[in-house]
């Protein structure tokens, strides 16, 4: 299959129309900061006012993980 300039341009244009990645909430950003400082999930949850299970669930969020890894 040969790609033409027109096909590439059309694909590029459709990619530009996609929405941005979801943003992390202020609570999630604060959690990232605290985790970098070595706080446990329990300490983070108590500090920012969410359940420990919530912080644990954030660890499964690809955007949360990416932010945490980027700041390490």
């Amino acid at each position: 299959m040969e790609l033409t300039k027109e096909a590439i341009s059309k694909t590029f244009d459709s990619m530009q129309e996609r929405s941005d990645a979801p943003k992390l909430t202020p609570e999630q950003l604060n959690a990232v900061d605290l985790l970098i400082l070595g706080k446990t999930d329990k300490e983070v949850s108590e500090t920012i006012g969410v359940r420990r299970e919530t912080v644990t669930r954030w660890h499964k969020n690809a955007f949360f993980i990416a932010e945490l890894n980027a700041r390490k």
Side-chain angles (χ1 to χ4, degrees):
M1 178 177 141
E2 186 177 330
L3 292 177
T4 64
K5 282 186 178 183
E6 183 179 311
I8 293 170
S9 179
K10 189 174 184 179
T11 300
F12 181 78
D13 290 343
S14 68
M15 289 173 63
Q16 297 298 347
E17 293 174 8
R18 292 182 183 170
S19 62
D20 293 333
K23 306 291 186 246
L24 296 179
T25 65
E27 291 83 4
Q28 289 172 316
L29 293 172
N30 288 336
V32 168
D33 292 337
L34 293 168
L35 290 167
I36 289 171
L37 294 174
K39 302 295 182 185
T40 65
D41 285 1
K42 183 178 184 217
E43 292 170 322
V44 170
S45 69
E46 290 170 352
T47 302
I48 61 175
V50 298
R51 296 180 59 190
R52 183 192 52 77
E53 293 84 358
T54 300
V55 177
T56 301
R57 188 176 63 246
W58 289 343
H59 284 288
K60 297 175 185 172
N61 177 318
F63 299 104
F64 184 85
I65 294 167
E67 185 67 25
L68 187 58
N69 289 335
R71 292 198 196 179
K72 283 186 179 178

